Amino acid sequence: MRIALFVTCLNDALFPQAGIATVAVLERLGHTVAFPPEQTCCGQLHANTGYARPARELERHTEAAFAGHDVIVSPSGSCAAHLRAHTALPVYELSELLVDVLGVTDVGARFPHRVTYHPTCHGLRMLRLGDRPQRLLRAVSGLELIDLPEPEQCCGFGGTFALKNAGVSGAMLADKCANAAATGAEYLAAADNSCLAHIGGGLARRPGAPRPIHYAEILAGTGARA
């Protein structure tokens, strides 16, 4: 299958390893991945902040950039949810593509570490990913998946919410980090690097706490990680 990658502007600028890992997983499964170079921000940031017209312009631009592609994948639950809500593009978050479209849960990965998983709000409430990411992680050789206490609680990021409501956001982050640390896991995985960056900032202040990682990087893994 030929699959187009929408990497997202955040991943492209700050976390390119998530896009690289997504390509590695799909190519390992025998698929071809295209990368339309005209892609930019999808407009989610603008829409969430009240800038409807610029958001609409970016949504139309994204539709044009991916015109003609029958299957689009993104390593971001929030951007996939935004494009699905505001465009007619056939966009799938990575776990949806793997489990629902390709019918795969074992992608041939190895990651011999203890991992806990945080279901981000867009994936949980808008895309309704359910346990798809966890099913993929449980199939990874050597991985021990540890349940995260109060997993459905938001981490407090929410885009500009963290800036406009710093006190509330910080309290939510503290709860999320305390729950993650209590698992004893080495890594905290999620489907959105925006949330992982927020949580990672909190975990960095806790010695011995899990390290943040996009779950696509785990699925692309073939052995021990430094």
Side-chain angles (χ1 to χ4, degrees), residues 33-208:
V33 181
F35 184 83
E38 300 84 3
Q39 62 183 282
T40 60
C41 171
C42 63
Q44 183 199 172
L45 174 63
H46 306 71
N48 292 348
T49 315
Y51 295 97
R53 181 178 296 177
R56 193 63 179 159
E57 292 173 354
L58 288 166
E59 291 155 9
R60 297 285 75 82
H61 176 83
T62 304
E63 283 188 314
F66 284 89
H69 291 281
D70 296 327
V71 179
I72 303 166
V73 66
S74 180
S76 168
S78 63
C79 294
H82 181 78
L83 287 177
R84 190 176 298 175
H86 297 279
T87 73
L89 290 170
V91 182
Y92 298 90
E93 189 276 333
L94 178 60
S95 69
E96 293 178 305
L97 176 69
L98 292 171
V99 175
D100 297 346
V101 179
L102 303 180
V104 176
T105 51
D106 186 347
V107 299
R110 176 168 172 75
F111 194 80
H113 298 283
R114 301 187 309 278
V115 177
T116 191
Y117 181 80
H118 165 62
T120 61
C121 291
H122 281 83
L124 186 71
R125 299 178 173 86
M126 293 188 69
L127 294 179
R128 300 189 182 281
L129 295 182
D131 68 346
R132 293 177 183 84
Q134 291 95 324
R135 289 162 62 188
L136 291 163
L137 291 173
R138 289 192 184 98
V140 174
S141 174
L143 187 149
E144 179 186 355
L145 186 62
I146 304 171
D147 290 339
L148 178 69
E150 300 181 334
E152 298 185 356
Q153 294 298 315
C154 174
C155 69
F157 177 57
T160 54
F161 174 84
L163 300 175
K164 295 178 178 177
N165 303 276
V168 176
S169 173
M172 297 169 75
L173 174 63
D175 289 344
K176 181 62 66 178
C177 290
N179 284 329
T183 65
E186 299 167 76
Y187 292 92
L188 179 136
D192 280 276
N193 269 321
S194 52
C195 299
L196 283 171
H198 183 66
I199 299 172
L203 292 177
R205 298 176 176 85
R206 292 173 175 264

